[in-house]
Amino acid sequence: CPHCQNLLGALEPIGNAGLADRVIVIVRGASADGLSGLAREKLSALRWYADPDDQAYKALSILSTPTVYGVRDGVMEWSVVGSMAADRALLIDWLRK
């Protein structure tokens, strides 16, 4: 997914240390084995979850990828669906707080 790659690229400058406790990545249709290689290549400290049966996508009512939720202390503060091009600054700003 090109938008997904762009999103991960936007996170890379922040680095693993700044994201490890703030970001969870759910990969739709991925197996745990398939995901392990991707997680090693990209931002390895993040929490990566495989969603081979779309259970997480259904539970979260995700309709498009990527979908990004800004959650702090269990409260959703914002969300972005699709391309992060226009909202990249919002994401980076929020993650640095």
Side-chain angles (χ1 to χ4, degrees):
C1 152
H3 292 309
C4 302
Q5 293 299 326
N6 289 339
L7 173 61
L8 292 173
L11 297 176
E12 285 182 305
I14 299 170
N16 281 323
L19 300 174
D21 62 341
R22 309 284 305 278
V23 177
I24 296 171
V25 180
I26 301 170
V27 181
R28 183 180 196 180
S31 68
D33 289 339
L35 188 59
S36 66
L38 178 62
R40 277 195 303 271
E41 292 173 21
K42 297 268 189 191
L43 301 161
S44 59
L46 301 184
R47 291 173 284 172
W48 291 78
Y49 294 94
D51 188 21
D53 303 327
D54 290 349
Q55 291 181 7
Y57 273 66
K58 290 173 187 169
L60 295 168
S61 300
I62 296 173
L63 302 175
S64 180
T65 56
T67 297
V68 180
Y69 298 102
V71 179
R72 190 184 321 266
D73 299 323
V75 176
M76 186 186 317
E77 295 183 356
W78 54 268
S79 67
V80 175
V81 177
S83 172
M84 285 295 295
D87 299 299
R88 186 181 217 159
L90 166 77
L91 173 66
I92 292 171
D93 223 28
W94 183 82
L95 286 169
R96 288 188 171 149
K97 290 182 183 179

